[in-house]
């Protein structure tokens, strides 16, 4: 039995063991002491917290007599229904409980969205305007929805609505104007906003849309040019890469994802945009918005990728939704590779030969696939096999950025090929001089070899400043540099900061214990070393050295 199941069972048994815990008190003072009610409620709540909304909805549905009588139940049940693609069902429950609840943000929001889905635009507009929220991001979202409802109304001066639309965020304002001007077919306005989208360093998704618009009117070369220019700004965007592959093969299937002339498709895009914005601040409202986006446009298959990625990040479960995975893989070769690679990492497969065999020599993104494999083996500490793939990349004679030489330098260093490592790390820094992780790696490697200590110290001072004193492992490196220079007072101050900031790195504990020892703080040193032995990630050699120091103390060389 795994820990998660054990905790679930313990929670249920605990709840069932007390009368108070097994009682639901309704508004009419009716009290229910049903074990089944509590069991399904608790289990449904746990599934809800784990973002398993399909199972949560099923368990909570078993006790739907609680509807309108228990606010926490209703919020979880209704949210799970929406995230599970049952907007209409959720809205029906909200309608039935309106006499019970008032001014519940979630319920007011879902009710208004359901009117929008039913194309009852005037009612939807009225309801959306009523929603109260102090969240600036939601107010921006609310503003966008109001804008689009007005835009679809042919009775209004729609061009004027676009021109006068204002947003606190330049990118959100531009996206709305870019999409709406094409939706209305006003090429003069569209060309203006399109130019701003294409000239931006971000907004890659909408540069892809721009290329799709060109492809739809048979401007094939211009579409490819837009995509390839966008690729120079972001070479890992799956939708971008797949669009390039498909267009070069004259495959237009991807264009069916989104029709810029359809109102629902544009509303879906607004939900998707704000889902991503909420995701960036780690807000669970993101999942609900994503589901609503798919409610309005389920054809945009690549938007389902967020659900797959949420599964990877939110749960260690290996129970993938293989129907979803099949849909994503069918988008094209880039999605198929990405999905298979992510599952391989998630399942910690030691053997990913099936991925290696899937590579073809004429792959447009051969470098990226070699890079994925190289990084996989580097993380697995198979440094020689990783180097084999880094070298395959080098033979492609393409422009390579600082990350390539950094990772290659790490592999050489771990294989005790120091001259090659130093050469690659220096090359990485020359390409991007402010990458504090690379500066730290090179400088600390010098410290380990007790060479270039003064230069390493200067470099680490810069790395600490560049990282804004936020990264304990870099502060640790600087502290160790001063330790080697026998400036123990300064070393102790820095290593204490590193110790407090990095509670999971045994090397930091080891260094801090050393400086405490040389400062004659023997009890504190042994205390820190003993704490290091409790860390899961401590390597056997360091563990052996620390155990020796706990018994015999630190042997200080003159």
């Amino acid at each position: 039995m795994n820990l998660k199941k054990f905790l679930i069972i313990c929670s249920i048994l605990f709840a069932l063991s007390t009368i108070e815990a097994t009682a639901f008190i309704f508004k009419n003072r009716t009290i229910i002491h049903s074990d089944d009610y509590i069991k399904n409620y608790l289990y449904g709540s746990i599934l809800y917290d784990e973002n398993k909304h399909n199972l949560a909805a099923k368990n909570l549905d078993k006790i739907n007599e609680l509807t309108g009588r228990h606010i926490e139940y209703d919020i979880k049940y209704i949210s799970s229904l929406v995230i599970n693609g049952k907007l209409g069902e959720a809205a029906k429950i909200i309608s039935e409980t309106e006499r019970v609840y008032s001014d519940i943000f979630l319920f007011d929001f879902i009710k208004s969205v359901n009117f929008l889905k039913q194309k009852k635009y005037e009612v939807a507009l009225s309801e959306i305007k009523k929603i109260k929220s102090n969240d600036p991001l939601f107010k921006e979202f609310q503003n966008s929805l109001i804008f689009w409802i007005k835009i679809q109304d042919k009775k209004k001066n729609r061009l004027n609505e676009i021109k006068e639309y204002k947003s606190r965020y330049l990118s959100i304002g531009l996206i709305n104007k870019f999409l709406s001007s094409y939706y209305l077919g006003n090429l003069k306005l569209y060309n203006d906003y399109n130019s701003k989208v294409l000239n931006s360093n971000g907004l890659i998704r909408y540069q892809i849309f721009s290329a799709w618009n060109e492809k739809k009117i048979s401007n094939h070369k211009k579409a490819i040019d837009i995509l390839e220019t966008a690729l120079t700004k972001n070479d890992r965007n799956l939708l971008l890469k797949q669009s390039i592959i498909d267009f070069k093969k004259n495959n237009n299937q991807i264009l069916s994802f989104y029709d810029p002339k359809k109102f629902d498709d544009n509303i879906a895009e607004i939900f998707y945009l704000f889902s991503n914005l909420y995701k960036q601040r780690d807000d669970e409202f993101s999942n609900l918005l994503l589901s609503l986006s798919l409610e309005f446009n389920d054809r945009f298959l690549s938007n389902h990728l967020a659900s797959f990625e949420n599964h990877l990040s939110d749960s260690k479960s290996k129970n993938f939704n293989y129907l979803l995975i099949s849909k994503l893989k069918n988008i094209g070769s880039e999605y198929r590779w990405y999905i298979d690679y992510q599952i391989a990492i998630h399942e910690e497969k030691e053997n990913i030969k099936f991925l290696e065999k899937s590579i073809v020599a004429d792959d447009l993104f051969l470098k990226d696939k070699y890079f994925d494999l190289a990084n996989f083996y580097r993380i697995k500490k198979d440094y020689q096999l990783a180097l084999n793939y880094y070298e395959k990349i080098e033979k492609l004679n393409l422009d390579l950025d600082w990350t390539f030489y950094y990772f290659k330098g790490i592999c050489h260093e771990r294989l005790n090929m120091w001259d090659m490592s130093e050469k690659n790390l220096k090359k990485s820094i020359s390409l991007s001089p402010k990458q504090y992780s690379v500066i730290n790696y090179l400088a600390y490697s010098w410290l380990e070899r007790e060479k270039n200590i003064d230069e390493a110290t200067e470099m680490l001072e810069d790395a600490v400043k560049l990282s804004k004193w936020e990264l304990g492992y870099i502060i640790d490196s600087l502290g160790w540099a001063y330790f080697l220079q026998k400036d123990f007072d300064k070393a102790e101050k820095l290593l204490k900061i590193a110790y407090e900031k990095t509670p999971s790195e045994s090397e930091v504990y080891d260094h801090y214990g050393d400086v405490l020892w040389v400062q004659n703080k023997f009890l504190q040193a042994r205390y820190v070393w003993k704490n290091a032995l409790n860390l899961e990630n401590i390597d056997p050699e360091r563990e052996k050295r620390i155990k020796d120091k706990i018994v015999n103390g630190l042997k200080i060389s003159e």
Side-chain angles (χ1 to χ4, degrees), residues 84-139:
N84 204 32
K86 297 179 179 179
L87 171 63
E89 194 173 328
K92 183 181 178 183
I93 294 170
I94 291 168
S95 176
E96 291 170 353
T97 58
E98 274 187 314
R99 65 187 181 281
V100 180
Y101 303 122
S102 62
D103 292 331
I104 303 294
F105 167 81
L106 177 68
F107 298 170
D108 291 343
F109 174 66
I110 291 171
K111 181 172 66 173
S112 66
V113 173
N114 191 56
F115 284 129
L116 188 59
K117 185 74 174 79
Q118 294 174 334
K119 303 188 184 305
K120 297 177 180 178
Y121 298 122
E122 289 186 11
V123 183
L125 181 61
S126 174
E127 293 296 329
I128 288 169
K129 285 180 176 180
K130 290 179 189 176
I131 299 173
K132 298 172 184 176
S133 173
N134 293 322
D135 177 7
L137 184 57
F138 183 80
K139 287 181 178 178

Side-chain angles (χ1 to χ4, degrees), residues 121-122 147-154 158 183 263:
Y121 298 122
E122 289 186 11
F147 167 73
W148 275 95
I149 295 172
K150 290 179 178 178
I151 284 296
Q152 65 75 38
D153 188 351
K154 294 180 181 178
R158 299 191 288 177
Y183 168 68
F263 177 76

Side-chain angles (χ1 to χ4, degrees), residues 143-200:
N143 189 37
S144 293
L145 292 178
I146 291 169
F147 167 73
W148 275 95
I149 295 172
K150 290 179 178 178
I151 284 296
Q152 65 75 38
D153 188 351
K154 294 180 181 178
K155 297 175 185 175
K156 294 190 178 293
N157 186 337
R158 299 191 288 177
L159 295 182
N160 201 48
E161 291 287 349
I162 295 175
K163 291 174 184 177
E164 291 186 356
Y165 175 75
K166 289 188 173 86
S167 170
R168 293 171 58 190
Y169 305 93
L170 289 176
S171 59
I172 292 175
L174 178 55
I175 290 166
N176 273 301
K177 292 184 175 188
F178 166 78
L179 296 175
S180 60
S181 58
Y182 197 87
Y183 168 68
L184 294 187
N186 189 298
L187 290 181
K188 184 176 183 301
L189 269 184
Y190 171 74
N191 288 335
D192 181 32
Y193 300 131
N194 183 49
S195 175
K196 292 176 181 177
V197 166
L198 294 179
N199 288 327
S200 70

Side-chain angles (χ1 to χ4, degrees), residues 67 123 147 153 175-176 185 189 231 244 261 266 272 308 311 366 377 383 477 493 507 539:
T67 300
V123 183
F147 167 73
D153 188 351
I175 290 166
N176 273 301
L189 269 184
L231 192 68
I244 291 173
K261 296 290 187 179
N266 283 294
Y272 184 79
F308 171 75
H311 178 89
L366 186 60
Y377 287 117
Y383 299 112
S477 298
K493 289 176 184 176
E507 188 170 24
D539 64 88

Side-chain angles (χ1 to χ4, degrees), residues 510 539-550 553:
D510 195 5
D539 64 88
E541 288 185 16
R542 188 177 301 282
E543 184 178 12
K544 183 179 177 182
R545 289 198 304 270
I546 289 176
K547 284 180 177 178
D548 180 67
K549 285 189 282 191
I550 291 171

Side-chain angles (χ1 to χ4, degrees), residues 22 36 43 53 84 170 178 223 259 274 276 324 332 394 448 451 453 459 463 501 520 538:
T22 60
D36 286 338
Y43 193 50
H53 294 285
N84 204 32
L170 289 176
F178 166 78
D259 185 343
F274 281 90
N276 282 326
L324 171 63
E394 215 156 16
E448 285 188 315
K451 62 179 285 189
I453 293 175
M459 288 171 64
K501 281 184 172 285
N520 297 320
I538 188 168

